Amino acid sequence: MRQYSGNRIGLAIVGTILLVTGAYAYLRGQNLLPGLAPRAKVLPDAAAESIAAQPWMLWLLALTLLVLALVSLRWFLLSLGWGRRGARSGTGTAMLCVGLKDVEGLTGAAVRVVGDAERLNVHLACPSSADVGTIVNKLDREIVGRIRREVCEDDRGAVVRLHVRR
């Protein structure tokens, strides 16, 4: 299973619940559901009167729902992989992990080839207890050069991001 499938499943569940709830509220408000009393209300009388007394509440509700929809759309697009550049390199990631096998608590490692092997992106996350100087030295002298020779052309650039967790 891919890494971001949890986001997709979560979005599918939330979207389905919101869609069913919205369709039910619309159909019930329009009196299109059989078996319900005529003019069935979605909101209780007290809530409907308070909203009708202050019409700005409808605008606030509409704006809040619009912002929620835009945030959900952004989450969905990012979970699909839009916004990420390059293609994952399993070979490069494996070489990175083997080269840093003596680092305790390594929490994340990824290698991406951006463009037509124009650049190599290396992402690494390690705990604050790790010796960052040793990691950077190994990356600079040994590992990145080997990965670059294996995955893309040796003369291409490489960007290394090292994230030290608290």
Side-chain angles (χ1 to χ4, degrees):
M1 187 175 277
R2 292 185 54 187
Q3 179 180 1
Y4 296 99
S5 64
N7 281 340
R8 292 183 189 135
I9 293 169
L11 272 172
I13 290 170
V14 169
T16 303
I17 290 170
L18 288 174
L19 182 68
V20 168
T21 305
Y24 173 75
Y26 175 76
L27 292 174
R28 187 164 180 188
Q30 296 296 320
N31 197 23
L32 297 175
L33 290 176
L36 290 177
R39 288 309 212 177
K41 296 184 176 160
V42 176
L43 294 175
D45 288 333
E49 289 173 8
S50 68
I51 290 175
Q54 299 176 6
W56 59 268
M57 288 182 72
L58 288 175
W59 287 103
L60 181 66
L61 179 66
L63 182 66
T64 304
L65 292 175
L66 179 67
V67 168
L68 180 65
L70 290 176
V71 168
S72 299
L73 179 65
R74 181 180 183 272
W75 181 31
F76 178 67
L77 292 177
L78 288 177
S79 72
L80 287 176
W82 292 7
R84 283 190 216 104
R85 291 186 171 163
R88 290 182 187 163
S89 171
T91 304
T93 304
M95 291 177 70
L96 180 64
C97 291
V98 167
L100 295 173
K101 65 184 172 194
D102 57 339
V103 176
E104 292 294 324
L106 189 66
T107 56
V111 176
R112 286 187 170 273
V113 179
V114 179
D116 254 351
E118 290 179 15
R119 188 178 74 218
L120 193 67
N121 282 351
V122 178
H123 301 278
L124 188 64
C126 65
S128 60
S129 61
D131 185 12
V132 178
T134 305
I135 294 172
V136 170
N137 192 21
K138 281 184 106 174
L139 286 171
D140 186 37
R141 294 183 190 267
E142 304 168 16
I143 300 171
V144 174
R146 265 193 256 153
I147 294 172
R148 214 175 15 204
R149 282 189 295 277
E150 185 68 31
V151 174
C152 62
E153 296 177 18
D154 195 25
D155 60 340
R156 302 299 181 179
V159 175
V160 178
R161 291 187 177 97
L162 177 62
H163 180 73
V164 180
R165 304 217 180 254
R166 292 184 191 181

